[in-house]
Amino acid sequence: MAGKAASPGTAVLLVTANVGSLFDDPETLQKNWLREFYQVVHTHKPHFMALHCQEFGGKNYEASMSHVDKFVKELLSSDAMKEYSRARVYLDENFRSQEHFTALGSFYFLHESLKNIYQFDFKAKKYKKVTGKEIYSDTLESTPMLEKEKFPQDYFPECKWSRKGFIRTRWCVADCAFDLVNIHLFHDASNLVAWETSPSVYSGIRHKALGYVLDRIIDQRFEKVSYFVFGDFNFRLDSKSVVETLCTKATVQTVRAADTNEVVKLVFRESDNDRKVMLQLEKKLFDYFNQEVFHDNNGTALLEFDKELSVFKDRLYELDISFPPSYPYSEESGQGQRYMNTRCPAWCDRVLMSPSARELILKSESEEKVVTYDHIGPNVCMGDHKPVFLAFRIAPGAGKRCHRHQRALRETPL
């Protein structure tokens, strides 16, 4: 039975996972990943579960399609998921379309005990009852049960083949309406460029894209409801501030390319102590001598440099972070806790919500912890990103109700 009998309300589990690494080494990484994912499902026993994946299929989707099919089949038919009798899967497999391909995959699972679940048809502008298990792929643009967009090329012109965008679905669960948005924002193309200004130019690009999504989901086309936005935001620590703090007493050596005079490397050395190298910074190198700073107390001392969400403080809410940076972990199977030295570790993967969605979360009056915001697989190699999840309960009667759609609901089963 899903949910804990002592707790009222409907148990919900929202998971975000950049899974690109899983398709580079499917035999080892997928097995570990699925085991850890199933453990979280078993622990929280949700009635309704959403899994938002980014980079689904890996860097070369065409070559990974057989692994994609196996992964989807496993999720839908595994013994660990047998009580989830209804499911919807939306996979953007249109990899040949530079204009539309986002590599996003959204999975929704409904427990057999959950009654009267409805999904919104954006074309018909009414809810439809969810029955059975269905998979939609390839050209999602024609699917009325979601909205999907890839960000325009001019948002990030230096990246010729960006796959960043979002997919939105709307649900009616426990007579409560809410949107779920799977999102993937732009990365930092160069550590050196990110270090130049505070905030970085890349932070500004992400700000623009996220603002576009938020404006889009609350525009006048549809009734406004609560929303959860979860995915790989690619939020980074403010690089200039972090480096200044980590290398307070360091001197900086600048290395330039002989032919172009372009800066290709920065070397930060201690002023004394035999001028020990503290940090080496290149376009795709962030090699700090002491990784423990990112692990001590789950790296939370660095949260003061996690500033990108502050711009949206009136529009997006997040629970307190108590887990370590979710990226970039080593992809070596035996290195579940080690970061790669390619980027400064950061909390890229997040579960955010609208102010009204915050009110949906039922905080139990008992001592039982019913709201959890954490990462998955802390000691296991899950790829370069650790999945992040939010588990909570929707209180009976909470949120914007869907009951006035009942007549349309009964007439249009899905």
Side-chain angles (χ1 to χ4, degrees):
M1 174 66 185
K4 296 162 186 168
S7 301
T10 302
V12 176
L13 178 65
L14 308 179
V15 182
T16 179
N18 185 315
V19 294
S21 299
L22 302 192
F23 302 95
D24 296 332
D25 182 11
E27 293 303 317
T28 304
L29 289 183
Q30 280 191 27
K31 184 178 179 180
N32 291 343
W33 193 98
L34 288 165
R35 184 184 68 244
E36 297 294 317
F37 173 74
Y38 292 149
Q39 181 58 52
V40 170
V41 174
H42 177 75
T43 299
H44 294 279
K45 299 179 172 58
H47 299 101
F48 178 88
M49 174 169 39
L51 169 62
H52 284 177
C53 296
Q54 305 82 41
E55 294 294 341
F56 198 78
K59 295 179 178 64
N60 188 338
Y61 199 102
E62 190 168 13
S64 301
M65 287 192 75
S66 62
H67 302 310
V68 167
D69 293 342
K70 184 178 179 182
F71 184 82
V72 174
K73 184 178 180 181
E74 163 67 26
L75 276 174
L76 290 176
S77 61
S78 72
D79 190 58
M81 304 290 283
K82 65 183 179 182
E83 294 183 358
Y84 295 88
S85 56
R86 291 152 292 170
R88 291 293 181 271
V89 179
Y90 302 102
L91 304 177
D92 187 357
E93 295 185 325
N94 191 18
F95 57 86
R96 290 187 176 86
S97 172
Q98 184 170 346
E99 182 182 357
H100 296 293
F101 185 49
T102 63
L104 294 174
S106 296
F107 297 75
Y108 305 97
F109 302 94
L110 288 67
H111 193 268
E112 60 191 10
S113 66
L114 200 56
K115 309 298 182 187
N116 300 323
I117 301 302
Y118 305 96
Q119 188 181 359
F120 192 67
D121 182 320
F122 288 96
K123 187 174 181 180
K125 294 190 176 182
K126 57 187 176 183
Y127 288 89
K128 296 183 177 181
K129 190 168 184 176
V130 180
T131 61
K133 297 180 180 181
E134 297 178 1
I135 301 173
Y136 298 85
S137 60
D138 197 19
T139 309
L140 295 181
E141 284 76 17
S142 60
T143 305
M145 307 310 291
L146 58 80
E147 286 196 316
K148 178 200 140 194
E149 287 189 50
K150 178 182 173 181
F151 296 118
Q153 183 68 42
D154 61 9
Y155 272 39
F156 199 28
E158 67 182 89
C159 188
K160 295 179 180 179
W161 183 234
S162 169
R163 304 192 289 189
K164 307 302 191 290
F166 71 95
I167 291 177
R168 168 199 192 185
T169 56
R170 175 169 292 189
W171 301 84
C172 181
V173 177
D175 202 22
C176 173
F178 52 82
D179 283 351
L180 301 179
V181 181
N182 185 355
I183 193 168
H184 194 185
L185 297 182
F186 301 98
H187 61 283
D188 281 13
S190 167
N191 293 324
L192 294 169
V193 174
W195 177 78
E196 290 174 354
T197 58
S198 176
S200 77
V201 61
Y202 305 118
S203 175
I205 294 169
R206 289 188 284 272
H207 175 195
K208 179 180 179 181
L210 181 53
Y212 174 84
V213 174
L214 296 181
D215 290 343
R216 183 73 171 159
I217 62 179
I218 63 167
D219 62 20
Q220 300 302 313
R221 295 170 301 140
F222 306 104
E223 181 183 20
K224 292 183 176 65
V225 299
S226 301
Y227 55 85
F228 294 87
V229 185
F230 48 114
D232 179 2
F233 293 84
N234 261 314
F235 288 161
R236 306 301 170 98
L237 304 185
D238 187 79
S239 185
K240 196 168 187 65
S241 301
V242 169
V243 171
E244 288 173 355
T245 301
L246 294 180
C247 305
T248 306
K249 298 181 179 180
T251 58
V252 186
Q253 174 190 353
T254 302
V255 180
R256 297 179 181 271
D259 51 347
T260 63
N261 205 37
E262 178 186 5
V263 176
V264 294
K265 187 173 187 176
L266 297 172
V267 182
F268 297 80
R269 299 177 182 272
E270 290 189 10
S271 301
D272 44 23
N273 195 25
D274 296 327
R275 294 185 52 74
K276 176 183 174 182
V277 174
M278 301 179 71
L279 172 67
Q280 297 183 77
L281 203 64
E282 297 178 12
K283 181 178 180 179
K284 294 185 178 180
L285 178 73
F286 188 98
D287 189 3
Y288 188 62
F289 78 103
N290 179 21
Q291 274 212 4
E292 290 306 309
V293 69
F294 305 112
H295 292 286
D296 289 344
N297 196 29
N298 287 330
T300 50
L302 298 170
L303 279 170
E304 67 174 291
F305 306 114
D306 180 72
K307 302 176 180 179
E308 295 197 34
L309 190 55
S310 62
V311 180
F312 300 95
K313 64 181 185 299
D314 297 326
R315 306 177 71 182
L316 287 171
Y317 174 78
E318 182 179 28
L319 297 185
D320 291 338
I321 292 176
S322 59
F323 50 89
S326 63
Y327 170 86
Y329 281 92
S330 170
E331 295 171 299
E332 296 293 326
S333 59
Q335 299 285 337
Q337 293 182 303
R338 183 165 183 80
Y339 290 106
M340 290 190 286
N341 62 1
T342 53
R343 309 285 185 186
C344 177
W347 289 271
C348 293
D349 309 274
R350 319 280 275 258
V351 181
L352 310 178
M353 66 198 80
S354 65
S356 61
R358 178 186 179 184
E359 302 306 316
L360 293 179
I361 298 177
L362 174 64
K363 295 182 178 178
S364 175
E365 294 180 0
S366 69
E367 293 182 359
E368 183 182 10
K369 186 180 181 184
V370 296
V371 180
T372 306
Y373 188 36
D374 206 349
H375 65 327
I376 300 177
N379 303 313
V380 177
C381 180
M382 304 285 282
D384 56 350
H385 288 257
K386 297 284 190 194
V388 169
F389 74 92
L390 175 66
F392 63 95
R393 309 184 78 83
I394 298 177
K400 180 170 286 189
R401 301 185 70 188
C402 322
H403 67 275
R404 55 200 171 98
H405 298 286
Q406 286 300 313
R407 180 170 296 176
L409 294 172
R410 292 193 194 100
E411 293 172 355
T412 54
L414 181 63

